[in-house]
Amino acid sequence: MPERRTVALVTLGCARNEVDSEELAGRLEADGWDLVEDAADADVAVVNTCGFVEAAKKDSVDALLEANDLKGHGRTQAVVAVGCMAERYGKDLAEALPEADGVLGFDDYADISDRLQTILSGGIHAAHTPRDRRKLLPISPAERQESAAGVALPGHGPAVEAPAPADLPEGLAPASGPRAPLRRRLDGSPVASVKLASGCDRRCSFCAIPSFRGSFISRRPSDVLNETRWLAEQGVKEIMLVSENNTSYGKDLGDIRLLESLLPELAEVDGLERVRVSYLQPAEMRPGLIDVLTSTPKVVPYFDLSFQHSAPGVLRAMRRFGDTDRFLELLDTIRGKAPEAGVRSNFIVGFPGESEGDLAELERFLNGARLDAIGVFGYSDEEGTEAATYENKLDEDVVAERLARVSRLAEELVSQRAEERVGETVHVLVESVDDEGVYGRGAHQAPETDGQVLLTSGEGLSVGRMVEAKVVGTEGVDLVAEPLDGSLACSEEAGR
């Protein structure tokens, strides 16, 4: 019997890329590939790249070069680039990085097994010429669903027939179904992301994502529900809904308020403890959506709001909306309904034309916003974007100084916000138990971006348990919490 082919997926970038990698893993496993964790143990190392900003692109190139170094020293025979950077640059990346044996775009995902086999056999699959993926779907959102069948949408893989139960009585044929998502989990985390949609219709002047991810298109609620149920069966306790813009979900399905009706259904999935929504646009927040996010059991009051700045002039140059006072009013509305709500955001400093007054306005907002997590980035030109053509660019040293200044403020403010939570009761989802301690996250903390909670006692706890604890201290943005009486016992009982 011939030795089975092995493949490792190395994922960089955001949670959306993680979903795409698990879809690729599902396709490959279904076609007979063995999935391994370490690229050194794989015939083919597939690097799912990020193409968002220069630092992410550099990380992607470094990962490809690192995988390439394995060739000739072990099992690895080929290195293949997929993901946003591969889609965005195509043949240009292939020419600039000959260490990659293949550069595959989104259109190759459905045939990923054949593509890898061709490359592994010494053949060549020509990298694509990049194109504006916004032109692949109709301009009108209402007309997109009918056209979507012919467009590659990573993370929207079709459901497949699940294998029949092993203990099926002899002579009994399996029913038609169940249907499982075309996805294979790559880790044992109790948290998983689920794609609500792909693409973006916004035209922020600094962002190139719509050009290579395409126009906004929603997944059907039944597909989202089906995938969530499957994940819960795999032991997932928390799902995080991801897309480029979750507040637009449903607009191409005829109901811009579809998220408000979908969330309670997701929260009722057996075995699930938490539903989290990420990537929300402040200008698109609706009273009804705020109500659902702050009042639905198991849907956490968590607001990942993409503010980017708060000075009106800078926001208009970014082709965005709002200002400091309106943003603060939005936060007041949220906290009026859920005082414990978690809020995070990202900001760009040093945008072309940003004045000292604009920076002071941003600092005024940050001081008043009480955000739990803050990401700060210095502006740099992104090719193909409108902002790259702007005049009044700031000197690199000025951008660097402002980045350092606002980053220091952000670090101080999130530490202060963490201290405000001392005395609060938090529900902690345990994510790691080892010699260094028991760590998890509260409802106000998203995976990897918003800090974590160290439990002062964890005897009998295991990954995936939910523990009620009281915050007794802080370590920067992180919290230290003491499990409440009975919490550990209840958790231990639940695990039996």
Side-chain angles (χ1 to χ4, degrees), residues 270-343:
D270 287 343
L272 208 60
E273 296 285 350
R274 275 186 191 158
V275 178
R276 185 182 303 276
V277 184
S278 61
Y279 304 114
L280 301 170
Q281 288 292 338
E284 297 180 30
M285 289 301 295
R286 307 175 291 274
L289 180 56
I290 295 174
D291 287 342
V292 170
L293 288 170
T294 55
S295 66
T296 307
K298 294 189 178 181
V299 175
V300 295
Y302 175 80
F303 294 81
D304 177 9
L305 294 162
S306 178
F307 289 120
Q308 301 300 344
H309 213 283
S310 72
V314 176
L315 286 168
R316 302 307 174 266
M318 290 178 169
R319 296 206 178 278
R320 297 178 65 82
F321 306 94
D323 56 47
T324 296
D325 292 332
R326 273 189 277 185
F327 289 164
L328 292 176
E329 287 173 7
L330 172 60
L331 295 178
D332 285 345
T333 298
I334 290 168
R335 290 180 175 129
K337 296 177 179 295
E340 77 286 2
V343 186

Side-chain angles (χ1 to χ4, degrees), residues 141-408:
E143 299 175 3
R144 289 178 189 164
Q145 291 289 330
E146 292 182 5
S147 305
V151 177
L153 299 168
H156 292 229
V160 295
E161 199 77 23
D167 57 353
L168 197 67
E170 185 177 355
L172 182 63
S176 58
R179 306 283 285 172
L182 189 58
R183 179 172 180 173
R184 198 269 204 186
R185 296 218 68 206
L186 293 174
D187 61 38
S189 170
V191 184
S193 296
V194 176
K195 270 199 179 181
L196 267 186
S198 288
C200 186
D201 288 342
R202 300 183 71 87
R203 294 296 179 264
C204 300
S205 63
F206 56 83
C207 183
I209 289 176
S211 66
F212 57 84
R213 276 290 184 178
S215 298
F216 184 91
I217 186 162
S218 304
R219 294 181 71 196
R220 294 194 174 276
S222 57
D223 291 337
V224 178
L225 274 164
N226 183 53
E227 186 167 335
T228 299
R229 293 188 183 107
W230 178 81
L231 287 167
E233 291 169 0
Q234 307 296 307
V236 168
K237 299 300 180 182
E238 175 181 327
I239 63 162
M240 184 166 71
L241 300 177
V242 300
S243 75
E244 279 73 19
N245 177 9
N246 282 334
T247 34
S248 282
Y249 179 69
K251 72 176 185 179
D252 52 321
L253 294 172
D255 184 1
I256 191 60
R257 294 177 177 80
L258 194 55
L259 185 56
E260 286 93 308
S261 58
L262 176 61
L263 285 171
E265 293 186 70
L266 292 171
E268 292 177 359
V269 170
D270 287 343
L272 208 60
E273 296 285 350
R274 275 186 191 158
V275 178
R276 185 182 303 276
V277 184
S278 61
Y279 304 114
L280 301 170
Q281 288 292 338
E284 297 180 30
M285 289 301 295
R286 307 175 291 274
L289 180 56
I290 295 174
D291 287 342
V292 170
L293 288 170
T294 55
S295 66
T296 307
K298 294 189 178 181
V299 175
V300 295
Y302 175 80
F303 294 81
D304 177 9
L305 294 162
S306 178
F307 289 120
Q308 301 300 344
H309 213 283
S310 72
V314 176
L315 286 168
R316 302 307 174 266
M318 290 178 169
R319 296 206 178 278
R320 297 178 65 82
F321 306 94
D323 56 47
T324 296
D325 292 332
R326 273 189 277 185
F327 289 164
L328 292 176
E329 287 173 7
L330 172 60
L331 295 178
D332 285 345
T333 298
I334 290 168
R335 290 180 175 129
K337 296 177 179 295
E340 77 286 2
V343 186
R344 82 165 325 274
S345 192
N346 293 325
F347 300 89
I348 298 173
V349 297
F351 195 78
E354 180 190 64
S355 67
E356 278 290 342
D358 293 329
L359 194 65
E361 185 69 1
L362 174 58
E363 291 172 327
R364 180 170 81 89
F365 172 69
L366 291 174
N367 276 295
R370 297 170 56 233
L371 302 178
D372 292 276
I374 300 171
V376 187
F377 302 88
Y379 173 82
S380 62
D381 284 339
E382 195 58 35
E383 59 187 289
T385 63
E386 181 183 357
T389 69
Y390 285 177
E391 299 178 353
N392 301 321
K393 301 279 178 62
L394 303 186
D395 290 340
E396 288 185 8
D397 58 343
V398 174
V399 175
E401 186 278 327
R402 292 185 180 185
L403 174 61
R405 169 177 156 186
V406 177
S407 295
R408 286 193 299 269

Side-chain angles (χ1 to χ4, degrees), residues 2 27 35 41 53 61 79 82 94 134 138 158 292 296 444 461:
R27 290 183 182 278
L35 294 155
D41 299 327
V53 294
V61 170
V79 176
V82 299
R134 289 172 293 192
V292 170
T296 307
H444 69 285
L461 283 179

Side-chain angles (χ1 to χ4, degrees), residues 65-66 78 87 115-116 288 311 332 351 381 390 413-414 424 426:
L65 294 175
E66 182 178 340
E87 174 62 39
R115 300 288 186 265
L116 296 190
D332 285 345
F351 195 78
D381 284 339
Y390 285 177
L413 291 173
V414 295
E424 283 188 10
V426 292

